[in-house]
């Protein structure tokens, strides 16, 4: 199965959808326009069922194959949301909304899955049902989790799930994947250090929270450098440090710090959560201050199971020829992990070529990748439910 010829014919149409989504980016769960257009197109294609409002603004379309001898149902997933970024591409179809931009290529994912849906509804050359999953709020809102909690997988009897993300730095027309952990778990923490503020010329009468916070920031570096096995992946980043003083001569009462923890292994995640709290509390106590730590777990690790990864690789090889089957995992996180925690499946990277990285104001999805992505989505359905 080389790139399906039909997708070469559909390319202008799919590209037009992609650029329309690009021009009209929407954030988090507020993807009403995008989801509405997705549902409308799925109905136009002749999907057997189109259900809106799953996980608030998610959409699921069902296409039944020519036969259904064994009740097989395969889920294919794309994400629809954009990012709060000011676009700087200068494209003629650049975002029309200041402060919102499709900087992660979800416009491309949605358009490619729509393309696959159009082809699958035309051909129906499979034995079972395809569930086309369009989710909101991948960028931090947990839209994938909400769709799962809404009962999507059981409601439609979805047995396997496959997802894809474009990736700059990988040549267009090629794929990359790995078995096991491919994206990290992302947790966040909030630390509040309270001391005793006062005149900066009288530090002996104060408990200087700025100094305590500085010690905490440095001590937290020992989690990665001294606590975790160097062969395991871990990131501990303090990203915000804010005091309640804006003066040159006032020692603040309080310092607030915020940051992120990225891990690939649940044991390392448990260790970091515990150690972070111990280091903050111990350091604050040693220096006479007090502290409160809030640690919140976010998206879990995205894990590709062995067998489904093999299926994903096989289809990618048929579509593209070139597949890197041992790509390095990324410390970013992905809420497709909530679906992979419930069902066997895999998550693959689609080459976006030599562009700016995702989440950059100059990033753009490469439309030349569309035939490969759409072919892979459609190919997964046909390969996992071969026509009788
Ligand atoms: Zn993103
Ligand atoms: Zn993304």
């Amino acid at each position: 199965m080389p790139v399906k010829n039909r997708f070469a014919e559909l390319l202008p149409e799919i590209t037009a959808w992609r650029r329309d989504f690009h021009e009209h980016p929407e954030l988090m769960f507020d993807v009403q326009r995008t989801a509405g257009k997705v549902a409308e197109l799925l109905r136009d294609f002749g999907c057997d069922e189109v259900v809106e409002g799953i996980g608030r603004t998610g959409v699921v379309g069902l296409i039944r194959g020519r036969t259904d001898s064994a009740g097989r149902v395969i889920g294919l997933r794309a994400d629809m949301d954009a990012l709060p970024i000011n676009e700087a591409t200068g494209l003629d179809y650049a975002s029309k909304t200041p402060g919102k931009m499709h900087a992660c290529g979800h416009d491309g994912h949605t358009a490619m899955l729509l393309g696959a849906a159009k082809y699958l509804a035309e051909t129906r050359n499979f034995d079972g049902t395809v569930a086309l999953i369009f989710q909101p709020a991948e960028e931090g809102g947990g839209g994938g989790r909400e769709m799962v909690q809404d009962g999507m997988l059981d409601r439609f009897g979805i047995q396997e799930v496959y997802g894809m993300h474009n990736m700059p730095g990988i040549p267009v027309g090629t794929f990359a994947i790995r078995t096991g952990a491919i994206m990290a778990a992302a947790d966040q923490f909030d630390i509040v250090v309270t001391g005793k503020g006062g005149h900066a010329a009288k530090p002996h009468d104060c408990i200087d929270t700025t100094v305590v916070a500085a010690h905490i920031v440095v001590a937290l570096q020992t989690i990665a450098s001294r606590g975790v096995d160097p062969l395991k992946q871990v990131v501990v980043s303090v990203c915000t440090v804010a005091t309640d003083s804006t003066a040159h001569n006032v020692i603040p009462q309080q310092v607030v710090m915020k940051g992120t923890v990225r891990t690939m292994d649940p044991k390392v995640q448990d260790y970091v959560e515990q150690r972070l709290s111990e280091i903050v509390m111990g350091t604050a106590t040693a220096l006479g201050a007090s502290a409160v730590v809030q640690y919140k777990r976010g998206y879990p690790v995205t894990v590709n199971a062995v067998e489904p990864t093999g299926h994903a690789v096989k289809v990618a090889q048929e579509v593209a020829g070139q597949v890197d089957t041992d790509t390095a995992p990324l410390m970013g996180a992905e809420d497709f992990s909530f679906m992979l925690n419930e069902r066997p499946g895999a998550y693959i990277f689609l080459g976006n070529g030599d562009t700016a990285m995702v989440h950059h104001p100059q990033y753009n999805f490469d439309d030349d990748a569309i035939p490969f992505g759409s072919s892979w989505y459609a190919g997964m359905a046909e390969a996992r439910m071969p026509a009788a």
Side-chain angles (χ1 to χ4, degrees):
M1 179 188 52
V3 174
K4 290 179 193 300
N5 293 334
R6 184 73 180 111
F7 288 116
E9 290 168 22
L10 290 174
L11 182 56
E13 196 179 356
I14 301 173
T15 302
W17 300 331
R18 205 284 287 183
R19 293 182 180 195
D20 175 70
F21 293 136
H22 192 88
E23 228 174 300
H24 301 96
E26 297 175 296
L27 302 184
M28 298 293 266
F29 288 96
D30 295 326
V31 292
Q32 285 80 5
R33 182 189 182 276
T34 309
K37 180 156 182 181
V38 164
E40 185 190 312
L41 285 168
L42 291 175
R43 287 190 187 102
D44 287 351
F45 303 157
C47 281
D48 297 285
E49 212 178 310
V50 178
V51 184
E52 295 174 76
I54 301 180
R56 297 196 233 173
T57 41
V59 181
V60 174
L62 296 184
I63 302 170
R64 292 187 229 293
R66 276 192 218 139
T67 53
D68 185 12
S69 65
R72 296 274 290 145
V73 185
I74 298 297
L76 305 172
R77 171 271 199 180
D79 37 18
M80 300 187 285
D81 57 319
L83 283 158
I85 291 178
N86 267 316
E87 180 157 356
T89 60
L91 293 163
D92 53 3
Y93 56 90
S95 168
K96 284 195 162 141
T97 314
K100 295 183 190 176
M101 175 190 177
H102 265 295
C104 204
H106 299 184
D107 49 346
H109 306 163
T110 296
M112 289 189 294
L113 186 55
L114 284 168
K118 178 158 183 167
Y119 163 87
L120 289 167
E122 278 172 8
T123 52
R124 300 185 186 250
N125 197 23
F126 53 92
D127 179 36
T129 303
V130 179
L132 307 141
I133 303 165
F134 295 86
Q135 76 151 81
E138 194 289 318
E139 300 288 0
R145 175 176 46 206
E146 296 240 356
M147 288 186 89
V148 169
Q149 285 172 348
D150 221 350
M152 167 187 76
L153 297 169
D154 291 334
R155 173 171 175 184
F156 302 110
I158 297 168
Q159 297 159 339
E160 295 174 33
V161 283
Y162 294 93
M164 175 169 40
H165 205 293
N166 78 94
M167 194 49 66
I170 298 173
V172 172
T174 69
F175 290 87
I177 191 170
R178 67 179 288 109
T179 305
I182 187 165
M183 299 285 280
D187 302 338
Q188 61 186 47
F189 59 84
D190 291 80
I191 299 167
V192 180
V193 178
T194 305
K196 188 178 163 208
H199 200 297
K202 291 179 141 310
H204 56 290
D205 288 339
C206 303
I207 296 166
D208 188 346
T209 44
T210 309
V211 173
V212 178
H215 277 279
I216 288 173
V217 172
V218 173
L220 288 178
Q221 307 310 309
T222 63
I223 296 176
S225 68
R226 307 288 85 177
V228 173
D229 180 342
L231 295 177
K232 305 251 183 189
Q233 298 98 332
V234 62
V235 173
V236 180
S237 293
V238 179
C239 301
T240 297
V241 180
T243 79
D244 58 19
S245 166
T246 52
H248 289 82
N249 59 355
V250 177
I251 288 175
Q253 288 283 348
Q254 216 168 51
V255 177
V256 174
M257 291 184 278
K258 298 177 188 184
T260 186
V261 172
R262 306 294 171 110
T263 53
M264 289 286 185
D265 176 327
K267 279 192 197 133
V268 175
Q269 189 180 23
D270 289 345
Y271 171 81
V272 175
E273 179 172 0
Q274 186 200 330
R275 199 66 197 120
L276 186 128
S277 197
E278 288 169 359
I279 288 173
V280 171
M281 305 311 279
T283 306
T285 305
L287 299 174
S290 63
V292 177
V293 181
Q294 272 190 320
Y295 190 98
K296 199 172 145 217
R297 294 203 175 200
Y299 295 173
V301 184
T302 303
V303 182
N304 279 337
V306 178
E307 230 178 282
T309 304
H311 303 317
V313 167
K314 194 156 173 281
V315 172
Q317 278 166 342
E318 285 165 3
V319 167
Q322 271 223 47
V323 181
D324 174 1
T325 56
D326 191 25
T327 193
L330 297 180
M331 298 312 282
E334 166 58 72
D335 89 338
F336 183 56
S337 52
F338 288 104
M339 297 184 201
L340 283 181
N341 277 356
E342 300 297 320
R343 294 291 186 274
Y347 176 78
I348 197 166
F349 294 128
L350 170 72
N352 200 57
D354 187 20
T355 63
M357 188 36 83
V358 290
H359 293 210
H360 188 280
Q362 275 167 341
Y363 163 85
N364 191 26
F365 178 83
D366 190 334
D367 292 323
D368 288 344
I370 286 173
F372 299 95
S374 288
S375 293
W376 181 81
Y377 273 133
M380 286 312 300
E382 291 179 349
R384 295 305 297 139
M385 301 181 290

